[in-house]
Amino acid sequence: MISIKRRQRGAPVTMHSVGPEVHPSSQDEDYNLRETDPQLGGDRWPNARRGWIGGERFSSTYDLVEQMFYLYVRVVKAKDLSPSTLTSSCDPYVEVKLGNYKGRTKHIEKKTNPEWNQVYAFSKDRIQSSVLEVIVKDKEMLGRDDYIGRVAFDLNEVPTRVPPDSPLAPQWYRLEDRRGEGKVRGDIMLAVWMGTQADEAFSEAWHSDAATVSGEGVFNVRSKVYVSPKLWYLRVNAIEAQDVIPSDRNRLPEVFVKAQMGSQVLRTKICPTRTTTPLWNEDLVFVAAEPFEEQLTITVEDRVHPSRDEVLGKIILPLTLFEKRLDHRPVHSRWFNLEKFGFGMMEADRRNELKFSSRIHLRISLEGGYHVLDESTLYSSDQRPTARQLWKQPIGVLEVGILGAQGLLPMKMRDGRGTTDAYCVAKYGQKWVRTRTILDNFSPKWNEQYTWEIYDPCTVITLGVFDNCHLGGGEKATAGTAARDSRIGKVRIRLSTLEAHRIYTHSHPLLVLHPHGVKKMGELQLAVRFTSLSLANMVYIYGQPLLPKQHYLRPFIVNQVENLRYQAMNIVAVRLGRAEPPLRKEVVEYMLDVDSHMWSMRRSKANFFRIMSLFSGIITMGQWFSQVCHWKNPITSILVHILFLILICYPELILPTLFLYMFLIGLWNYRFRPRHPPHMDTKLSWAEVVHPDELDEEFDTFPTSRPHDVVKMRYDRLRSVAGRIQTVVGDIATQGERFQSLLSWRDPRATSFFVVFSLCSAVVLYATPPKVVAMVTGLYYLRHPKFRSKLPSVPSNFFKRLPARTDSML
């Protein structure tokens, strides 16, 4: 483990930088994206200290992060250590000491030639000593540990290693006595060098930043890359069964099939006819993950009573038995013998089972042509099919430098004060990354860079910041629940909004909606670069379907997609939770937006006003046209008349004019194009003006846990909102039914009028040139207000008098 001595009075703080404990949020808080100017890449290594780093220029793949320098110490092994005079044995361990920091290996019992192979990393910013000591000690059960020997290094003489150079070869060093005046028995193999976070040893090293962490918490602070399990859709087509005999031979069974795989349970419909040879031909779809650890259990059951089912037969099948299908071609079906189920089987029945048994006809396949959705379709980061042989070539590369965070709020209490132990998780496609945890710091600096291959630019990368609550310090959890990593905030970046080959350096606000309102938890500083490999492939991909073709040839219904997504998300959470260190379920669920389908009055309002903003352009055009028709601005009205007459005389110019107009608008808007990626918008989300009770409803559990009077009030509110929606839907249906009644003779006089009008219109339009008709119609609508009446027009009056089916509704 790594430990740190208590600092003396007046000594500078070396363990952590203590930020403000309280960050009150105000109504004027800045929720916008801010552009930053970090020192990325570093063209030259600093050469301020002789012997550390030369003035030579190096190229680094870590060009999207700020370089952070570390002193690395690899303790490999020791040999020929002197045993204890009392026990005649040796239980050696090593202390790596640098100033106030002290790293310690595990002790090896009764071995004079131990091996450790552990790496320690000391941040250059916190180095307060010019001498590194590596001390070998013998652990004693009672009393102080015996001193065996030590090796000291002058930091001015430590070499520098820069990838892609080969790792520094460890060397044997003879141990010295406590004062360094003479040699003692024993040698230790060490490698000491100065490097950056680009070093291969960075991720496996025990960092001095996490000196207070002990036990299992040491593994929970390291950076790690995870890969989601390979997910398949398992399609079970239950076709038919034969010789299904119920326990009561005097009745015909009501048979259905139940299939179970792990926690997923699906049932077919009951066969519509009571028979011993039922027919279903129904598909049941599951989500399976490689490696296939679970088995498929098929049971045929009889609905004896509405509250009781009787199992008539059962079979258990391993998933490795089924064919993997890559396209829409059907796989071969098979008959499977069912095992009789229950305690009522007599010995004679068991002997006869080999000669006569019930059978079920199944067609089962693992679908490799689908993309298994494990995240919200709105924020999908991957759209490739399961089968790797169906993948296309990547079209680009995404590089993300996770620089750090600023202004984080205290997430928990430790030693009577607020603190935050933050780490960042990024998810794109099947690759998840997790940065190391920076302890007790409200402005952590990670400076870690990761790369993803891009197969579709219309995808989203999600980054979340969390507070680590599993540091091995006995974190207290709420009653009856385990400790959970707290969410600090989340950032989404859609790749299609990024310009190619440009580095975006921004500070993204971390916004979280709490039951008491929206709150800014800090800012996440990122450097993002999207590199396009081929312009031709980029143009080609924009014309392709979003999902693999199997989703369109054999689509799933909406409810089925949501259920399968929920199952896939659970499988991913379980598998990633078994990694070391685990990516915990609450983290995976937050990153995959598990609750995006839940009802929210706030989101409903936001979506309504999004629709209204779409129609605002059409409404504005209508208002402008109305002003032209009413001659509010005579010059504009005259120009519109001239343009209209030109288009009538030369109709072949209509479409070219329209597309040229859109081309010019696009060129004009290029000057005002967005210069930064989109971010969480509190106004668009209606998070700033939401009612507290609506927020409380959004954070309510499902099913509800609120008192009956609160539920009653919310139900009445929902009824009032639904009533208004019902009225609008009814009005739309009424207008449509009036169109239908024009020719339905529901109103015989109105229909006869319309039929005669249609005949006259046909004759007139046949005899009149189209240009004349268009000109007369346009000039009629553009006529001067002197020739207008304030009363509704005749067609409008006629249409409003038509009947609808509202008279027939109860």
Side-chain angles (χ1 to χ4, degrees), residues 668-800:
W668 177 261
N669 289 340
Y670 181 77
R671 300 172 54 210
F672 313 102
R673 67 190 185 279
R675 301 303 178 98
H676 53 75
H679 63 285
M680 302 289 184
D681 192 333
T682 55
K683 294 181 179 179
L684 179 68
S685 307
W686 273 72
E688 295 180 335
V689 294
V690 63
H691 193 275
D693 183 71
E694 295 177 1
L695 277 178
D696 184 70
E697 180 184 23
E698 185 171 341
F699 283 90
D700 191 8
T701 58
F702 188 85
T704 181
S705 58
R706 298 297 185 264
H708 292 293
D709 55 342
V710 176
V711 176
K712 179 178 179 298
M713 181 270 294
R714 291 174 180 171
Y715 176 65
D716 292 339
R717 181 178 61 196
L718 185 61
R719 289 177 63 191
S720 64
V721 174
R724 292 194 292 269
I725 297 175
Q726 170 185 290
T727 302
V728 173
V729 172
D731 292 341
I732 296 174
T734 299
Q735 306 305 322
E737 290 169 353
R738 284 174 176 168
F739 272 108
Q740 290 181 341
S741 64
L742 283 172
L743 297 172
S744 66
W745 296 92
R746 181 71 274 179
D747 184 344
R749 283 165 295 278
T751 303
S752 61
F753 295 156
F754 183 73
V755 168
V756 173
F757 171 77
S758 299
L759 177 61
C760 297
S761 299
V763 174
V764 172
L765 293 176
Y766 180 78
T768 308
K771 290 184 179 181
V772 176
V773 174
M775 182 180 300
V776 171
T777 304
L779 292 177
Y780 173 77
Y781 280 104
L782 294 172
R783 67 192 186 275
H784 196 273
K786 292 181 179 180
F787 305 103
R788 294 179 181 273
S789 173
K790 294 184 178 181
L791 299 178
S793 61
V794 174
S796 175
N797 295 331
F798 179 79
F799 182 76
K800 291 178 180 179

Side-chain angles (χ1 to χ4, degrees), residues 299-353:
T299 56
V300 178
E301 302 188 12
D302 177 20
R303 179 61 53 86
V304 180
H305 188 270
S307 60
R308 186 169 70 90
D309 301 324
E310 181 184 74
V311 179
L312 305 181
K314 176 182 178 182
I315 186 172
I316 300 177
L317 302 171
L319 300 188
T320 54
L321 187 66
F322 309 134
E323 181 180 346
K324 295 180 179 178
R325 181 169 64 169
L326 306 183
D327 51 26
H328 62 281
R329 288 176 291 186
V331 298
H332 297 291
S333 60
R334 295 176 57 182
W335 286 94
F336 296 93
N337 292 331
L338 295 172
E339 299 176 2
K340 290 185 178 179
F341 191 86
F343 298 100
M345 291 182 63
M346 304 299 293
E347 190 63 30
D349 294 335
R350 294 180 185 274
R351 291 195 301 267
N352 194 39
E353 185 179 358

Side-chain angles (χ1 to χ4, degrees), residues 179-314:
R179 296 182 180 180
E181 298 177 350
K183 304 293 183 180
V184 298
R185 176 182 173 183
D187 298 272
I188 185 170
M189 180 178 281
L190 300 170
V192 182
W193 72 96
M194 187 65 63
T196 68
Q197 71 269 39
D199 203 291
E200 292 86 350
F202 179 78
S203 61
E204 66 180 68
W206 289 10
H207 290 262
S208 58
D209 297 342
T212 58
V213 179
S214 60
E216 293 295 326
V218 173
F219 300 99
N220 290 323
V221 299
R222 294 179 178 175
S223 59
K224 188 66 72 173
V225 177
Y226 306 84
V227 178
S228 294
K230 189 176 182 180
L231 301 178
W232 295 76
Y233 283 139
L234 176 66
R235 188 187 297 271
V236 180
N237 179 221
I239 304 174
E240 58 181 331
Q242 290 183 351
D243 304 323
V244 180
I245 308 300
S247 57
D248 185 2
R249 304 297 180 92
N250 297 323
R251 58 179 288 275
L252 291 175
E254 300 180 44
V255 186
F256 65 93
V257 176
K258 183 175 78 172
Q260 180 173 359
M261 189 181 68
S263 60
Q264 306 175 63
V265 181
L266 296 175
R267 295 176 174 83
T268 66
K269 297 178 181 178
I270 297 177
C271 181
T273 58
R274 293 193 173 196
T275 176
T276 58
T277 57
L279 177 67
W280 302 281
N281 196 23
E282 188 173 338
D283 283 349
L284 306 176
V285 184
F286 299 87
V287 178
E290 289 187 359
F292 300 127
E293 301 174 350
E294 298 169 336
Q295 293 182 321
L296 177 65
T297 302
I298 303 289
T299 56
V300 178
E301 302 188 12
D302 177 20
R303 179 61 53 86
V304 180
H305 188 270
S307 60
R308 186 169 70 90
D309 301 324
E310 181 184 74
V311 179
L312 305 181
K314 176 182 178 182

